[in-house]
Amino acid sequence: MNEKLARKFTGFSCLAAAVAFIVEVPLYFVYDGAPPDWNVLSRLLIGILALGLLLLFVTGLRELIKAVSPRHEWIGGIASAAGLAYVVVTLVSHGLEAGSVIATDHPIDPTITVNGTYILYGSIGRMLLGTFLAAVGYAIARTRALPRWTGRSAYVLAAINFAFIPSMFFGNKPAFFYAANGWGTTASMGAILSYWLLAMSISILRSARRAPLTAPAPALQAR
């Protein structure tokens, strides 16, 4: 994949993922108590689509790093692997929530009643997403594939995600910011990620205008 195509593919998949996440997150705050089934299943469906698009983004990002600087492909591989793991873990969490809602004959709040998702959405998700963001920040800093602010913001978000890893010790009350399933640990991180992805997509698509049409010659790749 040449650099221009890699930037376009990565930018558009990032933009689509960001839009889907931005639509999904507010649906978690529509109801104070147990939401109706349609609300839970709708937000999970949007989340599933968003995660599929995120999978395309992390794959495209790996190809972009490879196209810009082949010798840094290894860090692109780390970012891709961490991003893929985050997508899979979150999809499992969505599946557990959806299954519980479908199997129950009355409205439930799966963020509280589905115990298996606490650590998946919380500590495990924060570790995987933090690793992905740290790798992205390092790759951008080393390759200069994107503006400097994108790498620095990735580092900042990685540090915030890592800070939430110990949240498993602080209960399961969503109203508590730092709980295992608290609004800071899960919902806030999702909202921040969605707007970071939106900003990243704009930066990547703008950079595609200046990218070469073909991959660099082997002599240039060796630099």
Side-chain angles (χ1 to χ4, degrees):
M1 184 182 292
N2 65 56
E3 183 180 339
K4 191 175 188 68
L5 178 58
R7 289 182 185 274
K8 286 185 175 181
F9 177 85
T10 305
F12 281 117
S13 58
C14 184
L15 176 61
V19 171
F21 280 126
I22 289 172
V23 173
E24 176 198 13
V25 171
L27 294 178
Y28 282 84
F29 300 96
V30 175
Y31 297 93
D32 291 332
D37 290 358
W38 71 263
N39 172 270
V40 178
L41 296 178
S42 294
R43 73 198 190 196
L44 291 175
L45 175 60
I46 297 171
I48 290 169
L49 296 175
L51 289 165
L53 293 166
L54 184 64
L55 179 60
L56 297 180
F57 165 62
V58 299
T59 303
L61 190 62
R62 180 191 63 195
E63 294 301 313
L64 173 57
I65 294 168
K66 178 181 176 181
V68 174
S69 178
R71 66 192 181 93
H72 291 103
E73 181 182 0
W74 65 273
I75 190 65
I78 293 175
S80 180
L84 172 61
Y86 173 76
V87 168
V88 171
V89 165
T90 310
L91 284 173
V92 170
S93 301
H94 281 18
L96 291 172
E97 284 196 7
S100 296
V101 169
I102 293 170
T104 305
D105 60 1
H106 59 275
I108 62 171
D109 185 352
T111 63
I112 300 175
T113 59
V114 184
N115 300 336
T117 65
Y118 295 167
I119 306 303
L120 294 177
Y121 279 133
S123 299
I124 294 175
R126 301 286 68 79
M127 182 276 292
L128 292 172
L129 188 56
T131 301
F132 166 73
L133 290 165
V136 170
Y138 183 80
I140 293 173
R142 300 299 297 176
T143 65
R144 299 183 181 178
L146 294 169
R148 187 176 299 175
W149 70 264
T150 59
R152 290 178 175 176
S153 63
Y155 278 137
V156 171
L157 292 184
I160 295 174
N161 274 272
F162 288 143
F164 278 98
I165 293 177
S167 62
M168 67 173 69
F169 293 100
F170 293 88
N172 66 331
K173 294 182 179 180
F176 179 38
F177 179 82
Y178 201 75
N181 58 340
W183 64 271
T185 309
T186 56
S188 293
M189 290 295 95
I192 292 172
L193 175 66
S194 63
Y195 287 103
W196 180 81
L197 289 171
L198 180 61
M200 280 287 290
S201 68
I202 295 171
S203 179
I204 295 170
L205 291 173
R206 291 182 62 183
S207 72
R209 301 175 184 175
R210 303 185 295 272
L213 293 174
T214 58
L220 294 177
Q221 290 183 356
R223 290 192 301 176

